[in-house]
Amino acid sequence: MENFGHLLDGFATVISGHHLIIMVVGVMLGILVGVLPGLGAPNGVSLLLPLTFTMDPVSAIVLLSCMYWGALFGGSTTSILFNIPGEPSSVATTFDGYPMARSGQATRALTLAFVSAGIGAIAGVVMITLLSSWVAGFALQFSSPEFFAVYCLAFASFIGMGGNAPAKTLVSMMLGFALATIGMDTISGGLRLTFGVHDLIKGVSFLVAVMGLFGIGELLLTTEEGLRFEGIKTRIRPLDVLRTLAEIPRHAVAIGRSVLIGIWMGITPAGPTAASFMAYGITRRFARNASQFGKGDPSGIVSPESADHSAGTSALLPMLALGVPGSATAAVMMGGLMIWGLTPGPMLFIERPDFVWGLIASMYLGNIVAVLLVLSTVPLYAAILRVPFAIIGPIIVAVIFSGAYQIANSTFDMWLVLIFGVAGYVFKKLEYPIAPLVLAMVLGDKAEDAFRQSMLMSNGSLSIFWSNSLVASIMGLGILMLAWPLIGKVMGLRNHVRRSRQNPSTAS
Amino acid sequence: MSEENKRHLSRRAMEIATAIATAAAGGAICYGAIEIGIGWTETGPAPGYFPFYVGLLIIVGSLANLVRAISIRDWNTEIFLDIEHARPILAFALPLVGFMIATLLLGLYVATLLYVSGAMIWQGGYRWWVATLGGVAVAAAFYCIFEVAFQVPLLKGPIEGWLGIY
């Protein structure tokens, strides 16, 4: 009940003409970056971040978070109309969304996607409303060793649950940590890893890395694959929207299950992409008639969409309450919080309740605004995608480099973006995950500080990470996560053996 | 021509090259960390303590990736990049580098104008005056958004100075 009072205060902060305009602008820009190739949610938020340095933190976070919601919706739009996922997390939406749109039911496909996404997002926010104070209160008991253990858990689950080769995740993540240490050392004040390069003294901003890895890298991939936007021309017919709305309750089970998957994957750092694939897979497995999947089955649209969006919103819970973001975009936003002078984590709930609850309230409003806006502006954005790449490509590049320059008024950063762009291209093609690198860059300093302080407390003994039941259980969970691929293999092997005993003909 | 199309970079070669590159980065990080001290000081762990182990883990991970790259057979025949796909990438990347150099010499606005117009003429096949208009429109839009609305200055070059824009 206490949370409910806070939430009302939050609404009082956020409901104003000024903030509503910011929401609309944020969502519109978000849909734009979600729709455009090469620009995604992490990138869009990075580009917008330097522009918010002078804004007050509540307005700034409303703008950035609404851009995030908009980008998630924009990604679904291109998946359905163009068969091109605007975001990695909307890949699963193409499986059934595009076939349904191609069979002349574009409005139905879009409405299903947007409404289920909206339901997923709202479910995520409800979860945050209910749990955030509790998690933050719990985290208030944490001191440095516990925080370091939480970071370890987050990174261990990336390695164990990420789905990529564990060694590749490890390399990517550690490169992020190394990049974070470049420049001035926060404790001793000395320079680290600058190798005499003057421009490295200020460090390497995570924004530069995101712009290069996600932006330029993605553009290089897009040009390689060759852009063919054979979109489906569509008008949103209000009658079809209403008819589809009436259909939604029939998918309640699929949506409910996917929302739960999404919330879980969002809180843990598995993120929206993994959530959408998992929800799609599970819905298909439980379907009475799986033959329609891939040909335009409605539950094949609502499942990945509701999971994607519930994961996207849920990712803000660990960011706010623990200071550990659950997705790359949440990581960028958390970096923003630190730039605005706020410290994400449990103390934020005590020091700046107006900020926390303003953000949570804006998540309710922002997602509703986003559903309405995206439904009414789909034709506009579809038209933007038909602009030839010869025009759109250079504009995106120019926007990215302008953004990179704004971070620190440095041309050196622009070269770094280029280097990160090439690295991003190679990493994506070789299946090195990029999100852990960004997360490590944002969390690097905090994780290192937590580690150093723990070491000071224990006089250099690693046993401090096992010194009480709280830190030991978090660490133990982390090790379990690290070992998960091995456990999975052993269990899989056992199942395989059992199945082949029961039914020798199907085992292969 | 057909000879040329067969030339390609295999996935395995690229995996190996990347693993070696990341291992080298790890080595550089360890070296940099050792320089500033990786031991214990009276104020706690030395500044290089944390980066040293980070670098070490990069080397370990890179070696694992290297072994994997050599042992997975399919990667030998999988193509990472061939000439056919390299062309569009170069057609995109070379103007991009040109844009960067133009930015350093002329500032972001003029470089954006040239870059957008140039891409429209040579890649989009637009007439020169349409392309120039397009480039001017984009640069002007940038000016309005960044300089006027958000009041963040972008890099300017000598031409803005001659025109007396700032």
Side-chain angles (χ1 to χ4, degrees):
Chain A
M1 270 301 87
E2 187 197 347
N3 284 2
F4 188 67
H6 284 308
L7 185 64
L8 287 183
D9 289 342
F11 275 113
T13 317
V14 173
I15 297 185
S16 70
H18 174 64
H19 281 128
L20 285 175
I21 291 172
I22 287 180
M23 274 181 210
V24 171
V25 171
V27 168
M28 297 292 274
L29 286 174
I31 304 173
L32 185 65
V33 298
V35 163
L36 289 175
L39 286 176
N43 217 305
V45 174
S46 299
L47 287 169
L48 210 54
L49 192 52
L51 303 181
T52 64
F53 290 166
T54 53
M55 293 167 82
D56 80 282
V58 177
S59 308
I61 193 72
V62 169
L63 180 67
L64 295 190
S65 60
C66 282
M67 182 175 211
Y68 187 13
W69 320 138
L72 290 174
F73 281 102
S76 325
T77 311
T78 49
S79 292
I80 291 171
L81 292 183
F82 293 86
N83 204 17
I84 297 169
E87 297 280 320
S89 60
S90 43
V91 172
T93 311
T94 60
F95 301 161
D96 281 288
Y98 182 67
M100 182 186 276
R102 207 175 37 189
S103 67
Q105 295 179 299
T107 307
R108 182 174 170 223
L110 288 168
T111 312
L112 280 173
F114 297 151
V115 173
S116 58
I119 294 172
I122 297 291
V125 194
V126 169
M127 182 277 299
I128 291 181
T129 312
L130 297 176
L131 292 188
S132 56
S133 294
W134 179 75
V135 177
F138 181 64
L140 275 177
Q141 308 169 33
F142 288 12
S143 69
S144 299
E146 283 82 6
F147 273 114
F148 185 72
V150 169
Y151 296 135
C152 276
L153 172 61
F155 287 105
S157 43
F158 255 121
I159 294 178
M161 315 278 273
N164 295 76
K168 284 184 172 169
T169 313
L170 177 75
V171 167
S172 165
M173 186 186 297
M174 289 302 145
L175 282 173
F177 275 119
L179 286 164
T181 59
I182 292 176
M184 189 93 82
D185 176 18
T186 45
I187 293 181
S188 72
L191 294 180
R192 296 197 294 178
L193 303 180
T194 55
F195 300 105
V197 181
H198 184 77
D199 286 301
L200 284 177
I201 292 174
K202 66 176 167 48
V204 178
S205 166
F206 64 97
L207 295 171
V208 171
V210 172
M211 287 175 193
L213 292 168
F214 284 96
I216 301 296
E218 196 72 52
L219 280 174
L220 287 171
L221 274 181
T222 320
T223 46
E224 180 188 344
E225 284 156 8
L227 275 183
R228 289 182 311 277
F229 286 141
E230 288 156 0
I232 294 155
K233 286 215 159 70
T234 182
R235 273 208 333 254
I236 299 288
R237 286 181 295 267
L239 198 66
D240 285 352
V241 174
L242 290 177
R243 206 174 291 147
T244 314
L245 281 180
E247 175 193 348
I248 294 280
R250 266 190 278 148
H251 307 297
V253 178
I255 292 177
R257 195 166 45 212
S258 307
V259 161
L260 288 180
I261 294 171
I263 287 178
W264 172 247
M265 305 284 258
I267 297 176
T268 59
T273 308
S276 59
F277 277 105
M278 194 172 173
Y280 185 86
I282 286 183
T283 303
R284 189 169 60 179
R285 194 177 302 163
F286 281 100
R288 272 191 221 115
N289 176 11
S291 67
Q292 283 306 303
F293 276 80
K295 295 174 190 158
D297 192 294
S299 47
I301 300 175
V302 295
S303 302
E305 278 299 309
S306 48
D308 174 9
H309 283 244
S310 57
T313 41
S314 306
L316 294 194
L317 173 71
M319 176 193 108
L320 283 173
L322 299 174
V324 181
S327 73
T329 314
V332 177
M333 280 199 244
M334 191 177 121
L337 253 67
M338 295 195 272
I339 292 173
W340 302 324
L342 302 172
T343 315
M347 285 308 285
L348 194 62
F349 282 77
I350 295 166
E351 285 166 1
R352 291 296 302 269
D354 62 320
F355 175 84
V356 173
W357 291 99
L359 168 61
I360 294 174
S362 84
M363 288 163 78
Y364 284 98
L365 291 176
N367 275 298
I368 295 168
V369 169
V371 173
L372 296 177
L373 269 181
V374 76
L375 268 175
S376 52
T377 54
V378 160
L380 178 73
Y381 286 104
I384 290 176
L385 260 188
R386 291 194 181 84
V387 176
F389 189 73
I391 301 176
I392 288 283
I395 293 178
I396 297 174
V397 170
V399 168
I400 291 175
F401 282 104
S402 316
Y405 177 75
Q406 283 160 22
I407 299 167
N409 289 350
S410 148
T411 49
F412 179 74
D413 282 348
M414 295 168 61
W415 291 107
L416 279 180
V417 167
L418 198 62
I419 296 169
F420 276 118
V422 175
Y425 167 77
V426 174
F427 272 23
K428 281 223 173 104
K429 284 199 81 172
L430 298 183
E431 292 162 25
Y432 281 80
I434 292 174
L437 195 158
V438 175
L439 238 72
M441 272 187 92
V442 173
L443 287 178
D445 280 345
K446 287 170 72 84
E448 188 183 351
D449 287 350
F451 178 73
R452 278 173 157 184
Q453 276 153 15
S454 316
M455 287 292 103
L456 273 178
M457 287 160 71
S458 71
N459 257 323
S461 158
L462 287 171
S463 65
I464 188 162
F465 297 120
W466 303 98
S467 59
N468 64 52
S469 56
L470 183 60
V471 69
S473 48
I474 303 175
M475 271 294 186
L477 202 59
I479 289 171
L480 184 74
M481 288 287 171
L482 260 187
W484 192 253
L486 283 176
I487 298 169
K489 247 181 210 162
V490 172
M491 303 236 293
L493 212 64
R494 194 188 289 158
N495 279 341
H496 186 81
V497 171
R498 194 189 302 147
R499 226 175 293 143
S500 56
R501 265 194 212 133
Q502 284 168 353
N503 193 353
S505 60
T506 54
S508 56
Chain B
M1 194 60 208
S2 60
E3 176 90 346
E4 206 179 26
N5 277 338
K6 278 179 195 157
R7 253 188 269 156
H8 68 259
L9 192 60
S10 76
R11 166 124 191 216
R12 171 179 286 181
M14 202 58 203
E15 288 276 358
I16 292 174
T18 309
I20 292 173
T22 53
I29 292 159
C30 286
Y31 171 76
I34 291 171
E35 268 195 329
I36 47 176
I38 57 169
W40 187 263
T41 64
E42 61 270 30
T43 55
Y49 185 95
F50 190 77
F52 178 75
Y53 288 100
V54 165
L56 215 57
L57 280 173
I58 294 179
I59 297 175
V60 171
S62 305
L63 290 180
N65 286 331
L66 192 64
V67 170
R68 217 165 149 255
I70 294 168
S71 60
I72 293 185
R73 289 201 161 185
D74 291 353
W75 285 353
N76 205 14
T77 48
E78 196 177 319
I79 295 170
F80 180 79
L81 190 63
D82 55 20
I83 296 283
E84 197 188 329
H85 286 100
R87 281 218 180 92
I89 293 186
L90 278 182
F92 175 75
L94 289 182
L96 203 163
V97 174
F99 164 67
M100 297 270 305
I101 295 167
T103 303
L104 296 180
L105 296 174
L106 300 168
L108 259 165
Y109 291 109
V110 179
T112 302
L113 196 166
L114 293 176
Y115 179 44
V116 173
S117 315
M120 281 176 76
I121 293 174
W122 284 294
Q123 288 170 353
Y126 289 87
R127 263 167 289 188
W128 67 268
W129 59 272
V130 179
T132 313
L133 267 178
V136 170
V138 172
F142 274 26
Y143 185 82
C144 292
I145 294 168
F146 295 121
E147 217 93 3
V148 178
F150 285 95
Q151 306 197 325
V152 282
L154 289 187
L155 185 66
K156 292 180 203 69
I159 293 179
E160 287 94 337
W162 294 336
L163 292 173
I165 289 178
Y166 77 107

